[in-house]
Amino acid sequence: MLSLADRFLSLRRDPESDEVLARGGGPDAHGILERSGFVPVLRVHELYHRLPTGLDPGEETRLATRAVARLRSAGVPMECDAAFDTDARKIADLTLGTQVGNLAATIRRATTSDEVAENLAEITAAYDGVLAGLADVLVATADFYQDLGGPSDGPVAERLRHLAVHGLGGLASDLRTIRTDLADRRTPHPRRPVCSGEVPQNEREASAVCACPPLPPPPAPLAARRR
């Protein structure tokens, strides 16, 4: 869990470089920034975000103001230049990454192997699973690069196609094997008993619903652990 100081974000126009920069914030803020048009910059001792190069000042202000609205809607503690300040708030839709992460949360609660297999099917389904969709994104991006005409665009397109076929293909194959193994086992997890919803007979509290211990908290995201 990041402290408030670590979660605090500053979004300002740098007086020396004239770039619009966002510094600080946790993984949740970084995701909002990147979906608002900012790009991450990883240095030896710092990770920060900037707007793409070549934008006119009006477009920079529009993107920065949109980011402020989204960050404040998400409750991110922050400060910003007056030019980017806004009372607008934007209700964020559930991101695709969050939807995939919800599968992990479901797997953490799973009590049988077939429950896990059912959730892995959303990742491994050959036609419309998460990995199939991601491979399609890589190929579409490769097609875009192929037609740009720059000297390095062809190799980038080849690399993307290689990742789609060999990188994701190998991962998908391994996960399908694991899913098949879990589906065939059809066995309960020995350390995750199924909740019966029953209250012990010696329980005196009328509000009690069951005697199951609480689930352990999920591990922190990788990005948070690396800070």
Side-chain angles (χ1 to χ4, degrees), residues 2 5-7 24-27 30 47 222-227:
L2 295 177
D6 290 331
R7 291 179 57 236
H30 298 166
L47 166 65
L222 285 176
R225 295 202 293 264
R226 289 172 182 159
R227 287 179 63 87

Side-chain angles (χ1 to χ4, degrees), residues 17-207:
S17 67
D18 203 39
E19 292 180 301
V20 177
L21 303 178
R23 299 184 184 276
D28 54 341
H30 298 166
I32 292 171
L33 286 168
E34 289 161 24
R35 288 184 175 88
S36 300
F38 284 73
V39 294
V41 180
L42 181 61
R43 301 299 187 199
V44 176
H45 299 294
E46 184 183 21
L47 166 65
Y48 64 91
H49 289 74
R50 63 167 175 82
L51 286 176
T53 58
L55 299 178
D56 62 61
E59 180 66 5
E60 289 179 335
T61 298
R62 186 186 73 81
L63 293 176
T65 303
R66 181 176 68 174
V68 169
R70 291 176 172 177
L71 290 163
R72 288 195 169 142
S73 295
V76 175
M78 64 169 298
E79 62 181 6
C80 67
D81 285 349
F84 310 144
D85 207 355
T86 177
D87 292 329
R89 297 292 181 266
K90 179 174 176 59
I91 299 176
D93 296 327
L94 198 63
T95 66
L96 292 176
T98 300
Q99 294 178 55
V100 173
N102 285 342
L103 294 176
T106 303
I107 289 173
R108 290 190 182 99
R109 295 192 299 268
T111 58
T112 65
S113 60
D114 34 329
E115 286 181 73
V116 178
E118 181 179 349
N119 282 276
L120 285 181
E122 294 293 338
I123 305 294
T124 61
Y127 175 69
D128 58 358
V130 171
L131 290 177
L134 182 53
D136 198 28
V137 168
L138 293 179
V139 172
T141 307
D143 292 343
F144 182 86
Y145 260 100
Q146 191 69 52
D147 296 332
L148 284 179
S152 64
D153 295 336
V156 170
E158 289 183 20
R159 176 63 177 161
L160 287 167
R161 293 192 180 98
H162 177 84
L163 289 172
V165 174
H166 299 285
L168 290 180
L171 176 60
S173 177
D174 288 347
L175 281 178
R176 287 191 189 105
T177 300
I178 291 169
R179 177 187 176 270
T180 299
D181 174 63
L182 290 171
D184 288 341
R185 285 193 183 190
R186 304 187 62 81
T187 183
H189 192 283
R191 298 181 63 184
R192 296 187 184 183
V194 177
C195 175
S196 65
E198 296 179 356
V199 180
Q201 292 187 3
N202 62 349
E203 178 60 67
R204 298 180 180 180
E205 296 291 336
S207 60

